[in-house]
């Protein structure tokens, strides 16, 4: 698109031409998110600083009948911010201020571009933190978290983003600025805040959020267990929950991931281990030791090779770093990877993980597993080389079979990464045409022109054909 | 519109004799139908379908016959909302009361909407689990009703409201189409989170027939600490100190002008702690220390039967004879605005001829205010309406809101029970118009007359 295009000059009038990108080289930075196999170039990227700016940008987009999509940090794993039909990317990097920290009311007001971890860092000296902690929290934005209803390792005990957002300011798809919810726990009427969260940027653009802050727990106990097999580790997960213990986090890595992580970062994991479990307890120190002992017992009953305890905060941070850096090591395993995100009932974990291994073998596509075991939220990392078209075809079959297995086990096809473009085709595995019709009806209320983040979430005729329906 | 005999016959065709309660002019108070009377208006018929198919048939019949439908569970919260113009059919899910799927090790359950909470809790308790919700009418309310009203009780401080426990549901739309939202697993972001739309929609968007829920292990022990003070300010200070501390109370409730199970008129604070015995002991000690430093004059720890009675009675706030006129409002505030609001409540009490009591959920910023004991049982409507308006102003002035949950019909007709909703109202109207296009369900009773 040319600089003298009326659309571009109108956008430049709002944010200043230095905050508008149109040259192809710079645009290519914005052609994908963390799911790098999906690519699409926007025509223009704008960097607004206020809700008012965004409102005007949206009105211009409507006037010119051009699609627009919000972009936070671009760490999404389902192609949510992908400008599939070109148009405007509204990048929120400059809207990154924490507007208010209200410790007495245990809440903060933030702009959407605030980095997740940045909020916790801003309040930690007061003894507080922001609970939803995606593994990408050093980079991802709160706006992106809201759009995807993101989770993280500590979702098990503390819930997902939706449980921690009280109010939203949103620029609707016609440019109107409206608030939903607020600084109090409940407001009368339909919970539009709740519907907005997880709508993957298709209902409007979040320009401000009131979020809860939690008091930092008095203490932590972090245990790391090394197991011979995935099966044993999965049994531990069910046994802990069945004992009535809800840890703050319960994470698993398989031998593939252990090896990759070990070779990249040298944490001291045995290279021949079948699985590593990280279990964290948090809360009041009194009584915690007993729970840790119960967990150690469950470890031992399941043939645990070795149990390590974080002896201090530095140790604990090390353990978490090894978990959260796992993704950084996959580059060593293959040129490309897709992270699947199915959820199954906890008791189905061993069965479904065995199935994933079979699928990997059947198609000769390596799959690594690092995931939120306590929630039954698996992340099979499907490793491949996108330059090999035969592999790509097999990868598609792998994705389909994994997600079908999750659906058949009574689960779902995404626990935290969203549908985006990546899983549209698989929606019919869990939703009937009638279920999807209600979603389409609600979408039409919020986004009647369809210009806001088009081409996402809903299966197409082609999707049904692929599924043989 | 069919006449009564015709209506009777038609509905029996669909749901059978057992599925129908007919309107009678003089209901006895113990008549099962009386709990489905809304603001003094008895329904023309109460239908209790035994299957989703029967629900579809009833809805189709109602649509064809231009009858309004009010969805219900056991009827405990039917009074919330604007007064209806007329009540044709009350459609209760109470015959859909089965547990459909329960695998204890998954810590989730799927039930039919009409199952009473108490029945479900008993089943879960056999496996050392429970649904951590303690809404009003805990003994009678159904899961469907709790979902439709997004019910909660004092324990929402630690465990949240129904919104935080629902994983998925099945809903019959007014067109008869059956749809599901969410799923059965604890994490799910596939598609839009339409659970949130139905939660707290008060029956205006569909008939909820099935709900999947996230459970909790039963705590090893539970205790309540009951603190008494001479000044409200002291109680408020203790509450905010506890809220800021490392303690993890299940509830943190302030009582003004009367606490459960006591005659004591002094301000009280009731604090719940649960979990591992050592954790609980440590918290009780910590509460005692904070209380002593802040001038508590009474400190009592309750356990066992007595603690359960106390908890139940607190959930039922305000206690009282159901026949007596009563006005219950609920203010949603920021925590730091509760103290100021409670002062307003005290001023209102001093200026009123009736009794004004308050229960504050101090960690949530929620204050329930009850007007009762009107002299001679007479409610001075205009005066009470003005008083409600004053309280609402006190809440809205600090960015909160106030909902009138229960009031005599005459009063309801003078006030807006929900209060203003602001600019999101246009969207709410559109949602109602699109999801219930024929305007069949609980019409006119929600915010702004939706
Ligand atoms: C290494 C790695 C680990 C990860 N771990 C986790 C994890 O543990 N848990 C988890 O849940 N996710 C995880 N993710 C996924 C990703 O980080 C989250 O989905 C995150 O919330 C995306 O935030 P973002 O700012 O990068 O959003 P983007 O990728 O920029 O956008 C995501 C979506 O949000 C929309 N959007 C962004 N901002 C707004 C706004 N202000 N208003 C409306 N819509 C908006 C976009 O249009 C898009 O649809 C991980 C990703 C990576 C790369």
């Amino acid at each position: 698109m040319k600089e003298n295009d009326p659309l571009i000059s109108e956008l430049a009038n709002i944010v200043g031409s230095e905050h508008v990108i149109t040259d192809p080289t710079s645009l290519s930075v914005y052609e994908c998110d963390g799911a790098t196999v999906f690519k699409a170039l926007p025509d223009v990227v704008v960097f607004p600083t206020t809700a008012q700016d965004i409102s005007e940008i949206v009105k211009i987009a409507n006037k010119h009948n051009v699609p627009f999509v919000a972009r936070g940090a671009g760490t999404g794993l389902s192609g949510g911010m992908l400008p599939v039909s070109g148009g405007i990317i509204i990048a929120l990097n400059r809207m990154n201020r924490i507007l208010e920290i209200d410790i007495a009311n245990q809440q903060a007001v933030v702009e959407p571009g605030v980095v997740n971890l940045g909020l916790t860092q801003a309040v930690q000296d007061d003894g507080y933190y922001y609970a939803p902690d995606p593994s990408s929290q050093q980079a991802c934005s709160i706006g992106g978290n809201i759009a995807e209803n993101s989770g993280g390792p500590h979702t098990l005990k503390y819930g997902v983003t939706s449980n921690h957002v009280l109010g939203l300011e949103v620029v609707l798809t016609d440019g109107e600025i409206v608030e939903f919810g607020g600084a109090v726990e409940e407001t009368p009427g339909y919970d539009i805040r709740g519907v907005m969260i997880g709508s993957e940027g298709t209902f409007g653009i979040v320009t401000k959020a009131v979020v809860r802050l939690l008091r930092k727990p008095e203490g932590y106990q972090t245990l790391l267990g090394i197991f011979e097999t995935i099966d044993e580790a999965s049994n531990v997960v069910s046994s802990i929950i069945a004992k009535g213990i809800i840890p703050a986090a319960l994470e698993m890595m398989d031998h593939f991931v252990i090896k990759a992580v070990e070779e990249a970062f040298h944490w001291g994991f045995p290279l021949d281990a079948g699985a590593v479990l990280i279990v964290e307890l948090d809360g009041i120190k009194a009584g915690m030791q007993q729970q840790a002992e119960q967990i150690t017992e469950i470890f031992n009953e399941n043939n645990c090779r070795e149990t390590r305890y974080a002896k201090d905060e530095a140790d604990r941070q090390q353990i978490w770093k090894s978990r959260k850096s796992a993704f950084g090591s996959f580059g060593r395993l293959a040129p490309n990877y897709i992270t699947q995100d199915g959820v199954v009932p906890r008791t189905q974990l061993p069965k479904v993980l065995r199935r994933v291994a079979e699928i990997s073998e059947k198609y000769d596509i390596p799959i690594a597993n690092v995931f939120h075991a306590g929630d039954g939220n698996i992340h099979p990392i499907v490793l491949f080389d996108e330059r090999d078209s035969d592999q790509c075809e097999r990868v598609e079959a792998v994705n389909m079979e994994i997600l079908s297995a999750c659906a058949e086990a009574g689960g779902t096809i995404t626990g935290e990464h969203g549908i985006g473009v990546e899983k549209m085709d698989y929606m019919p595995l869990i939703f009937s045409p009638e279920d999807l019709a209600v979603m389409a009806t609600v979408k039409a209320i919020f986004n009647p022109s369809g210009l806001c983040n088009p081409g996402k979430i809903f299966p197409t005729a082609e999707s049904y054909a692929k599924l043989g329906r | 519109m069919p006449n009564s005999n015709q209506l009777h016959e038609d509905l029996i065709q669909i749901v059978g004799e057992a599925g129908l309660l007919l309107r009678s002019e003089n209901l006895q108070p113990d008549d099962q139908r009386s709990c489905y009377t809304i603001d003094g208006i008895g329904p023309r018929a109460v239908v209790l379908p035994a299957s989703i198919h029967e629900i579809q048939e009833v809805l189709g019949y109602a649509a064809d016959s231009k009858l309004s439908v009010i969805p219900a569970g056991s009827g405990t919260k039917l009074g919330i909302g604007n007064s209806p113009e007329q009540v044709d059919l009350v459609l209760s899910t109470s015959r859909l009361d089965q547990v459909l799927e329960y695998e204890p090790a998954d810590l989730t359950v799927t039930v039919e909407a009409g199952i009473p909470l108490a029945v479900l809790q008993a089943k879960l308790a056999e496996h050392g689990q429970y649904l951590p919700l303690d809404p009003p009418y805990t003994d009678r309310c159904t899961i469907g009703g709790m979902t439709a009203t997004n019910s909660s009780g004092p324990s929402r401080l630690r465990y949240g409201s129904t919104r935080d426990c629902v994983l998925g549901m099945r809903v019959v739309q007014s067109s008869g189409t059956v749809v599901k939202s969410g799923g059965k697993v604890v994490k799910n972001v596939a598609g839009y989170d339409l659970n949130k739309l139905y939660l707290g929609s008060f029956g205006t968007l569909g008939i909820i027939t099935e709900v999947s829920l996230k459970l909790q292990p039963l705590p090893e022990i539970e205790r309540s600490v009951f603190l008494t003070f001479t000044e409200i300010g002291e109680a408020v200070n203790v509450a905010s100190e506890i809220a800021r501390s490392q303690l993890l109370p299940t509830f943190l409730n302030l009582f003004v002008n009367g606490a459960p199970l006591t005659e004591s008129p002094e301000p009280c604070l009731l604090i719940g702690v649960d979990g591992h015995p050592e954790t609980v002991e440590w918290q009780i000690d910590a509460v005692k220390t904070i209380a002593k430093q802040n001038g508590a004059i009474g400190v009592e720890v309750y356990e066992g039967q007595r603690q359960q009675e106390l908890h139940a009675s607190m959930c039922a706030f305000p206690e009282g004879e159901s026949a007596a006129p009563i006005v219950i409002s609920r203010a949603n505030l920021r925590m730091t605005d509760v103290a100021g609001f409670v002062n307003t409540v005290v001023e209102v009490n001093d200026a009123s001829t009736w009794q004004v009591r308050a229960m504050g959920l101090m960690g949530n910023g929620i204050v329930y205010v009850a007007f009762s004991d009107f002299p001679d049982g007479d409610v001075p409507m205009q005066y009470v309406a003005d008083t409600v308006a004053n309280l609402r102003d006190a809440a809205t002035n600090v960015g909160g809101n106030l909902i009138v949950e229960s009031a005599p019909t005459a009063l309801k007709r003078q006030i807006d029970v929900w209060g203003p909703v602001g600019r999101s109202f246009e969207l709410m109207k559109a949602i109602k118009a699109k999801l219930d296009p024929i305007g069949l369900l609980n019409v006119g009773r929600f915010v702004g007359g939706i």
Side-chain angles (χ1 to χ4, degrees):
Chain A
M1 202 169 276
K2 296 201 176 60
E3 250 164 76
N4 54 5
D5 186 296
L7 173 73
I8 303 303
S9 54
E10 285 171 45
L11 292 174
N13 280 344
I14 297 166
V15 295
S17 53
E18 69 277 28
H19 299 302
V20 178
I21 295 181
T22 50
D23 80 275
T25 323
S26 312
L27 285 181
S28 67
V29 174
Y30 297 89
E31 69 179 355
C32 69
D33 62 8
T36 51
V37 283
F38 304 99
K39 293 187 183 72
L41 270 183
D43 292 308
V44 48
V45 183
V46 279
F47 297 84
T49 50
T50 64
Q52 197 55 46
D53 284 353
I54 296 178
S55 165
E56 286 174 41
I57 294 166
V58 165
K59 284 178 186 160
I60 291 170
N62 279 310
K63 189 174 98 183
H64 293 274
N65 200 29
V66 171
F68 56 94
V69 57
R71 186 184 197 274
T75 69
L77 289 175
S78 54
M81 54 59 64
L82 207 67
V84 285
S85 350
I88 308 170
I89 284 187
I90 302 176
L92 298 160
N93 311 58
R94 290 171 75 215
M95 291 180 71
N96 61 353
R97 290 175 306 161
I98 297 174
L99 299 174
E100 193 187 334
I101 292 174
D102 183 353
I103 293 294
N105 285 310
Q106 305 181 344
Q107 51 184 246
V109 184
V110 299
E111 290 186 330
V114 167
V115 171
N116 176 299
L117 188 61
L119 178 55
T120 286
Q121 284 166 344
V123 297
Q124 66 190 8
D125 288 346
D126 292 306
Y128 283 77
Y129 73 114
Y130 177 60
D133 62 338
S135 305
S136 53
Q137 70 184 143
Q138 299 208 10
C140 66
S141 72
I142 305 255
N145 295 168
I146 290 169
E148 303 289 9
N149 194 10
S150 298
H154 291 79
T155 302
L156 176 57
K157 181 165 171 187
Y158 294 102
V160 289
T161 300
S162 195
N163 304 101
H164 297 273
V165 174
L166 294 168
L168 295 175
E169 179 191 79
V170 178
V171 174
L172 296 176
T173 58
D174 61 358
E176 196 190 351
I177 305 171
V178 183
E179 286 177 13
F180 305 114
V184 300
E185 287 200 358
E186 276 173 39
T187 48
Y190 298 131
D191 180 12
I192 296 187
R193 156 203 56 160
V195 179
M196 194 59 80
I197 298 169
S199 60
E200 302 195 17
T202 64
F203 284 0
I205 294 169
V206 174
T207 49
K208 208 196 283 184
V210 187
V211 299
R212 288 179 199 273
L213 300 174
L214 294 193
R215 187 82 173 87
K216 259 202 281 191
E218 190 198 16
Y220 298 95
Q221 281 266 8
T222 312
L223 296 82
L224 187 148
I226 296 167
F227 296 84
E228 304 297 341
T229 65
I230 282 263
D231 254 24
E232 287 162 350
S234 318
N235 283 336
V236 170
V237 174
S238 297
S239 303
I240 290 175
I241 304 281
K243 268 255 158 64
I245 302 171
I246 306 237
L250 221 176
E251 301 280 308
M252 200 190 304
M253 298 190 248
D254 74 359
H255 68 100
F256 239 121
V257 177
I258 298 168
K259 200 159 165 280
V261 167
E262 188 50 33
E263 280 166 4
F265 304 104
H266 311 293
W267 300 110
F269 295 140
L271 290 175
D272 62 339
V276 161
L277 264 190
I278 299 172
V279 186
E280 180 158 282
L281 299 168
D282 74 3
I284 292 166
K285 285 182 191 160
M288 197 180 279
Q289 186 54 39
Q290 285 85 329
Q291 286 206 329
E293 282 161 16
Q294 274 180 297
I295 290 172
T296 310
E297 238 167 72
I298 298 172
F299 275 13
N300 293 337
E301 282 161 16
N302 285 281
N303 207 15
C304 180
R305 185 197 289 188
E306 184 191 338
T307 308
R308 297 180 189 171
Y309 303 88
K311 49 185 186 307
D312 53 25
E313 182 56 23
D315 234 19
R316 172 177 174 257
Q317 290 298 347
Q318 283 284 50
I319 290 181
W320 279 114
K321 224 167 161 183
S322 74
R323 160 65 181 90
K324 294 193 179 179
S325 64
F327 281 87
S329 63
F330 298 145
R332 307 171 73 91
L333 299 175
N336 303 94
Y337 63 88
I338 284 185
T339 310
Q340 282 307 343
D341 181 35
V343 185
V344 296
R346 290 142 176 144
T347 47
Q348 301 289 317
L349 269 179
K351 197 173 131 197
V352 172
L353 289 171
R354 277 196 295 270
R355 180 84 194 106
V356 169
E358 282 163 21
I359 296 168
S360 165
E361 213 162 292
K362 175 174 164 195
Y363 291 99
D364 191 21
I365 295 285
I367 298 179
N369 287 287
V370 47
F371 61 101
H372 313 304
D375 288 316
N377 187 185
I378 61 173
H379 286 333
I381 318 281
V382 183
L383 301 156
F384 66 104
D385 183 343
E386 68 178 337
R387 291 161 303 189
D388 179 338
S389 63
D390 181 58
Q391 269 194 37
C392 290
E393 260 171 50
R394 280 181 282 141
V395 164
E396 187 148 339
V398 164
N399 289 340
M400 169 78 85
E401 288 205 22
I402 291 178
L403 295 181
S404 301
C406 292
E408 278 160 26
T412 187
I413 59 176
T414 173
E416 52 180 25
H417 297 164
I419 299 294
V421 292
E422 191 234 345
K423 289 182 279 289
M424 285 161 43
D425 289 345
Y426 311 117
M427 284 288 268
L429 292 176
I430 49 169
F431 290 116
S432 72
E434 290 81 12
D435 302 337
L436 291 166
V438 187
M439 290 188 199
T441 302
V442 175
K443 180 182 171 186
I445 295 169
F446 285 93
N447 187 3
S449 71
L451 287 177
C452 180
N453 201 9
K456 307 289 160 71
I457 301 175
F458 292 91
T460 58
E462 206 181 307
S463 318
Y464 283 99
K466 262 194 214 168
L467 294 170
R469 301 187 183 205
Chain B
M1 199 178 283
N3 66 31
S4 288
N5 286 341
Q6 187 64 47
L7 180 69
H8 188 178
E9 269 174 36
D10 292 346
L11 289 171
I12 280 185
Q13 287 290 320
I14 303 173
V15 293
E17 294 273 359
L20 191 64
L21 299 171
L22 268 202
R23 174 180 176 180
S24 115
E25 294 305 327
N26 5 325
L27 288 174
Q28 299 302 308
D30 60 346
D31 190 305
Q32 214 193 330
R33 280 162 290 187
S34 65
C35 62
Y36 296 111
T37 297
I38 303 167
D39 292 339
I41 309 178
R44 293 187 64 197
V46 180
V47 255
L48 308 114
S51 67
I52 288 187
H53 178 71
E54 287 183 8
I55 292 179
Q56 293 172 310
E57 298 266 299
V58 171
L59 291 177
Y61 173 74
D64 292 344
S65 318
K66 307 242 174 310
L67 297 166
S68 65
V69 176
I70 298 191
S74 58
T76 60
K77 296 177 188 81
L78 270 185
I80 303 181
N82 305 319
S83 275
E85 293 299 324
Q86 82 182 64
V87 183
D88 297 331
L89 304 184
V90 166
L91 191 164
S92 163
T93 56
S94 55
R95 286 213 295 166
L96 292 165
D97 60 354
Q98 298 301 303
V99 173
L100 298 175
E101 274 177 49
Y102 178 36
E103 173 57 66
D106 288 335
L107 217 58
T108 56
V109 70
T110 298
V111 298
E112 289 185 316
I115 190 170
L117 173 63
V119 173
L120 176 61
Q121 298 289 36
K123 295 207 162 126
L124 301 174
E126 289 168 17
H127 300 275
Q129 300 181 350
Y130 78 130
L131 181 65
L133 299 171
D134 52 356
Y137 302 101
T138 298
D139 52 334
R140 282 199 287 139
C141 65
T142 65
I143 296 298
M146 288 165 62
T147 305
T149 56
N150 187 22
S151 283
S152 65
S155 303
R156 68 178 283 156
L157 178 57
R158 178 92 192 265
Y159 298 108
S161 61
T162 306
R163 180 187 198 266
D164 300 293
C165 300
V166 168
L167 302 172
M169 50 183 114
R170 196 173 294 278
V171 174
V172 185
Q173 298 184 294
S174 62
S175 61
T177 307
V178 183
V179 292
K180 83 162 186 185
S181 59
K184 292 175 178 171
V185 282
V186 295
K187 259 171 109 178
N188 189 1
V189 296
Y192 299 131
D193 187 0
L194 297 188
N195 288 335
K196 300 298 187 290
L197 209 49
Y198 301 117
L199 275 153
S201 65
F202 286 83
T204 57
L205 300 179
I207 314 276
I208 298 166
T209 58
E210 192 180 307
V211 186
S212 297
L213 299 151
K214 187 170 155 177
L215 306 173
Q216 287 283 334
L218 274 169
E220 283 171 69
I221 62 166
E222 279 176 83
R223 300 283 183 272
S224 295
V225 190
F226 199 115
L227 305 176
T228 320
F229 299 86
T230 37
E231 301 290 333
I232 294 176
E234 294 165 340
V236 170
N237 287 343
V238 168
S240 40
E241 196 161 321
I242 291 175
R244 276 199 312 261
S245 73
Q246 302 281 10
L247 302 191
L248 298 166
T250 36
F251 50 83
L252 180 54
N253 283 10
L254 171 75
F255 292 89
V256 176
N257 287 339
L261 299 191
T262 71
E263 297 294 312
S264 109
E266 282 96 14
C268 303
L269 208 52
L270 191 50
I271 301 137
V273 283
D274 68 10
H276 190 280
E278 271 194 39
T279 319
V280 168
E281 281 312 315
W282 182 83
Q283 294 199 79
I284 292 174
D285 288 344
V287 167
K288 285 180 177 167
T289 308
I290 297 173
K292 290 213 182 92
Q293 285 163 354
N294 287 277
I297 52 170
V299 179
E300 265 182 281
V301 179
Y302 288 76
E303 58 183 282
Q305 177 83 16
R306 182 85 176 143
Q307 123 83 22
Q308 280 169 16
E309 281 167 20
L310 193 67
H311 192 153
S313 146
M314 173 179 66
C315 296
F317 174 89
E319 297 159 282
E321 288 166 46
S322 53
I326 204 157
V327 180
I328 305 170
S329 315
R330 165 186 167 162
N332 296 299
L333 306 158
R334 292 185 308 180
M335 275 193 270
T336 49
D337 295 323
V338 169
F341 185 80
V342 168
N343 284 339
T344 311
V345 170
V346 172
E347 284 165 23
V348 166
N349 184 49
D350 293 344
S352 312
T353 55
W354 62 88
Q355 166 79 270
V356 182
R357 285 180 288 163
M359 173 171 83
L361 278 56
M362 304 303 282
N364 302 95
I366 294 169
V367 183
Y368 289 91
V369 185
F371 299 172
S372 62
D373 301 278
F374 292 94
D376 306 323
D378 263 346
V379 182
M381 292 304 165
Q382 191 54 51
Y383 190 27
V384 175
D386 291 345
T387 309
V388 168
N390 285 344
L391 282 177
R392 178 168 283 157
D393 285 346
T396 47
N397 287 343
V398 292
N401 60 72
L402 181 134
I403 296 164
V404 178
E405 293 200 337
S406 173
T409 311
L411 180 64
K412 274 181 148 188
R413 295 202 190 278
Q414 285 192 30
I415 58 177
D416 176 359
V417 298
W418 297 104
V421 258
R423 292 173 64 193
S424 53
F425 183 61
E426 288 308 313
L427 276 168
M428 294 186 193
K429 247 182 13 194
I431 289 168
K432 171 69 176 175
K434 291 286 187 207
L435 294 191
D436 179 19
I438 50 173
L440 193 64
L441 301 170
N442 215 4
V443 171
R445 302 198 58 217
F446 199 38
V447 292
I450 279 177

